[in-house]
């Protein structure tokens, strides 16, 4: 099983979409391993978006990510990193396919509802960036045999 990090961005909180977006991941069959509300500092955002620090929109996204608290979530499942990226859709909400979260809820490249880790390496770093070990819970879902064949997990 893989774990991945999702951030429900400020636009999601402001538009009262928290429940709907969390529900997408729940209904897919992912296990919620951790969740909390946090107001992101410029420091943590600079680290999180370090790959974009040369881009002209670097400060703009950091400002947009700190207009209000966000919800950080850790989801677990088989191939969870790819599964969550596929559910999330293309970065620009206007180009994202219908049926994806960004395709269904976003008209913007910046106000695009969620952040989702894009590789196993990034997921491990991002989970550690936002959660302490004791905030990640390793309980078992009692419906695993309804979610997967017994050789899939
Ligand atoms: P990026 O890591 O490229 O995309 P993704 O979120 O799909 O992994 O970019 C991070 C965030 O930066 C993106 O979610 C929104 C913002 N962004 C812009 O505001 N303008 C842009 O042109 C791009 C590429 C990203």
């Amino acid at each position: 099983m893989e774990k991945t990090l999702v951030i429900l961005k400020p636009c999601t909180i402001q538009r009262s979409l928290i429940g709907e977006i969390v529900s997408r991941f729940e209904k897919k069959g992912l296990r919620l391993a951790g969740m909390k509300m946090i107001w992101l500092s410029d420091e943590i955002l600079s680290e999180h978006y370090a790959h974009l620090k040369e881009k002209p929109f670097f400060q703009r996204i950091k400002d947009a990510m700190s207009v209000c608290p966000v919800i950080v979530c850790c989801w677990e499942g088989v191939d969870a990193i790819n599964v969550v990226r596929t559910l999330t859709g293309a970065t620009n909400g206007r180009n994202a396919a219908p049926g994806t979260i960004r395709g269904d809820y976003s008209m913007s490249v910046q106000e695009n509802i969620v952040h989702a880790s894009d590789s196993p390496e990034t997921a491990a770093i991002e989970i550690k960036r936002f959660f302490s070990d004791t905030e990640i819970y390793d309980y078992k879902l009692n419906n695993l045999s309804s979610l997967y064949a017994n050789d899939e997990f």
Side-chain angles (χ1 to χ4, degrees):
M1 294 263 181
E2 281 180 352
K3 289 189 177 70
T4 190
L5 183 94
V6 169
I7 305 176
L8 307 189
K9 296 186 175 188
C11 55
T12 305
I13 283 72
Q14 296 290 342
R15 291 174 56 196
S16 304
L17 289 173
I18 298 167
E20 285 201 45
I21 304 306
V22 170
S23 167
R24 294 284 190 119
F25 296 115
E26 283 186 305
K27 286 178 184 163
K28 180 68 174 170
L30 293 152
R31 183 181 77 82
L32 186 61
M35 182 181 227
K36 66 180 176 185
M37 186 172 241
I38 170 174
W39 203 320
L40 298 173
S41 65
D42 194 70
E43 190 185 3
I44 201 167
L45 285 166
S46 294
E47 193 182 300
H48 185 66
Y49 286 126
H51 62 295
L52 299 172
K53 68 173 182 295
E54 305 306 332
K55 302 282 187 190
F57 54 84
F58 182 56
Q59 191 59 46
R60 165 167 69 64
I61 40 167
K62 290 196 296 171
D63 291 345
M65 287 294 284
S66 55
V67 297
C68 72
V70 299
I71 310 277
V72 288
C73 316
C74 175
W75 292 99
E76 186 192 71
V78 173
D79 301 330
I81 296 156
N82 275 331
V83 166
V84 166
R85 286 288 289 191
T86 303
L87 287 177
T88 296
T91 304
N92 186 334
R94 294 190 297 279
N95 301 332
T100 64
I101 290 169
R102 288 167 171 171
D104 287 354
Y105 296 100
S106 168
M107 282 292 286
S108 167
V109 64
Q110 173 180 279
E111 305 301 326
N112 62 1
I113 310 296
V114 290
H115 164 81
S117 304
D118 63 4
S119 70
E121 298 71 35
T122 320
I125 292 167
E126 291 183 346
I127 291 164
K128 281 216 171 303
R129 178 172 297 140
F130 295 103
F131 289 100
S132 65
D133 288 349
T134 55
E135 290 171 327
I136 299 295
Y137 296 94
D138 274 330
Y139 65 95
K140 294 264 175 288
L141 286 183
N142 61 15
N143 62 349
L144 271 188
S145 61
S146 305
L147 289 169
Y148 300 103
N150 60 13
D151 60 357
E152 283 183 305
F153 62 91

